[in-house]
Amino acid sequence: MTVTLADILEARRAIRGVADGTPLVPSPFMSDRAGQDFLLKLENMQPIGAFKLRGALNAIARLPEGTAGVTCCSTGNHGRGVAYGARARGMRAVICMSELVPQAKVDGIRALGAEVRITGRSQDAALAESRRLAAEEGLAEISPFDDPAVIAGQGTIGLEMLEARPDIRTILVPLSGGGLAAGVAVAAKAIDPAIRVVGISMDRGAAMYHSIRAGRPVEVEEVESLADSLGGGIGLGNRLSFPLCRDLLDETLLVTEEEIYRGMQALYWEDRIVAEGACVVGLAAVLSGRLPTLDGPVATIVTGRNLDMEVFTRVVTGQDVTLGARVVKARPWRA
Ligand SMILES: *Cc1c(COP(=O)(O)O)cnc(C)c1O
């Protein structure tokens, strides 16, 4: 089982007119800092506020007629995509999430008519609940990242970026379970293997980063982060997103909460974009000097906008932000 460019082209047909065609725009500020054209793929403009609609719609389109309903575990955005797709097909959706998922995300899912189950303090607990529901209630389970249709759906982002700008040399991808990075890397490497694809995560609880180094899926402790959408394990039984990320990503790297905080400020004050912490790991890596040599044009994906506005306001106005036992110290934005 793998994912190919042909699967991504097929996914594109499945999502056309609903989840495709987001803008790819230049960031003058980041272009200045990177010393290269720096482009933003605005997946925050998706109808559900995040790219996950692509993978969810493609997976739901492939379910057989008569499927009773769907279930999934989620850090918030995948659940919203599944809820949206299920509603369009008149299907029941049950979204399983941990207590770490921000209330704004839970509310967004309920508003789409899905049932919500909150269980435990980790993605693994949410996954166990979703598996149980699939077995006991006959619902189809859609993994947020370890599913070929989901990966192909996310891969349409890579295809669109390279169609709009075939000269892109480097793609910086926010990395969690790796469905996005795997899909984008399959598309990019099929088009030109020399395109550098970099996966970036927060420095605590980065499951894919540590799994690639260990050579097998490993568990990590889940902690609160400004990049909450990047939390959660990759599943010890990961079959697809792990091998694809291991084989196709040129590198993976980590950024700190302080760097994410500054990245959110930069994207807001310089580009006037309201986006989740998960979106800015690419900006954070460049601004903190973690990517000293960059071939341009460089592109990154602004993956979603479903954030807690109270936390966001604290970040962009330069106040302290408390994340569990940690505090990200106040620091006003200064370019
Ligand atoms: C899911 C998500 C990611 C990471 O995608 P993976 O496929 O899990 O690696 C990044 N940003 C946002 C906003 C997300 O919802």
Side-chain angles (χ1 to χ4, degrees), residues 2-17:
T2 189
V3 176
T4 65
L5 184 60
D7 298 318
I8 297 173
L9 288 164
E10 211 177 306
R12 177 149 77 168
R13 283 191 290 276
I15 69 167
R16 179 160 288 156

Side-chain angles (χ1 to χ4, degrees), residues 43 49-52 74-78 105 144-146 150-151 154 173-183 200-201 208 227-234 241 245 275-281 301-306:
E43 289 295 305
F51 74 88
K52 292 242 175 38
S74 173
T75 53
N77 286 331
H78 175 64
K105 288 194 163 111
F145 48 79
D146 200 26
V150 169
I151 293 173
Q154 323 305 31
V173 190
L175 176 64
S176 177
L180 174 64
I200 310 174
S201 307
M208 185 63 82
D228 57 86
S229 284
L230 301 186
I234 67 166
S241 68
C245 286
E276 296 179 35
C279 306
V280 302
V281 291
I301 302 151
V302 180
T303 45
R305 63 160 191 257
N306 297 324

Side-chain angles (χ1 to χ4, degrees), residues 6 44 93 107 157 193 221 295 303 316:
N44 55 317
D107 295 343
I157 298 171
E221 194 199 344
D295 260 355
T303 45
V316 297

Side-chain angles (χ1 to χ4, degrees), residues 49-276:
F51 74 88
K52 292 242 175 38
L53 187 55
R54 295 176 185 257
L57 279 183
N58 190 42
I60 288 173
R62 278 166 173 62
L63 294 175
E65 274 308 316
T67 302
V70 288
T71 184
C72 66
C73 66
S74 173
T75 53
N77 286 331
H78 175 64
R80 202 156 169 158
V82 168
Y84 189 99
R87 189 178 65 169
R89 265 190 79 172
M91 270 180 189
R92 178 178 176 215
V94 187
I95 314 301
C96 305
M97 291 177 286
S98 87
E99 291 158 12
L100 292 181
V101 174
Q103 191 60 38
K105 288 194 163 111
V106 176
D107 295 343
I109 290 168
R110 284 216 176 91
L112 288 167
E115 297 162 48
V116 168
R117 303 276 166 92
I118 307 287
T119 27
R121 289 192 56 80
S122 71
Q123 262 297 89
D124 290 341
L127 175 63
E129 175 66 4
S130 157
R131 291 259 155 92
R132 191 188 66 75
L133 282 166
E136 289 177 11
E137 304 193 20
L139 302 174
E141 192 201 336
I142 302 176
S143 164
F145 48 79
D146 200 26
D147 176 306
V150 169
I151 293 173
Q154 323 305 31
T156 59
I157 298 171
L159 200 57
E160 284 179 24
M161 290 164 78
L162 287 160
E163 279 175 355
R165 285 293 298 265
D167 56 338
I168 288 171
R169 300 317 300 158
T170 306
I171 306 180
L172 309 178
V173 190
L175 176 64
S176 177
L180 174 64
V184 167
V186 166
K189 298 292 180 181
I191 292 166
D192 180 355
I195 295 169
R196 179 183 177 199
V197 185
V198 183
I200 310 174
S201 307
M202 68 289 180
D203 67 353
R204 288 182 54 196
M208 185 63 82
Y209 175 93
H210 291 293
S211 297
I212 287 174
R213 274 155 188 77
R216 63 188 160 78
V218 295
E219 274 174 328
V220 290
E221 194 199 344
E222 235 173 285
V223 294
E224 285 181 50
S225 169
L226 284 171
D228 57 86
S229 284
L230 301 186
I234 67 166
L236 291 179
N238 188 301
R239 295 167 305 163
L240 198 51
S241 68
F242 170 69
L244 285 170
C245 286
R246 179 195 61 201
D247 296 346
L248 296 180
L249 295 181
D250 293 282
E251 62 203 275
T252 51
L253 58 93
L254 303 178
V255 293
T256 66
E257 293 299 318
E258 285 71 23
E259 289 162 355
I260 294 170
Y261 181 102
R262 259 182 86 65
M264 290 172 79
Q265 291 183 325
L267 192 62
Y268 178 73
W269 289 111
E270 304 300 330
D271 294 302
R272 298 293 198 265
I273 291 173
V274 175
E276 296 179 35

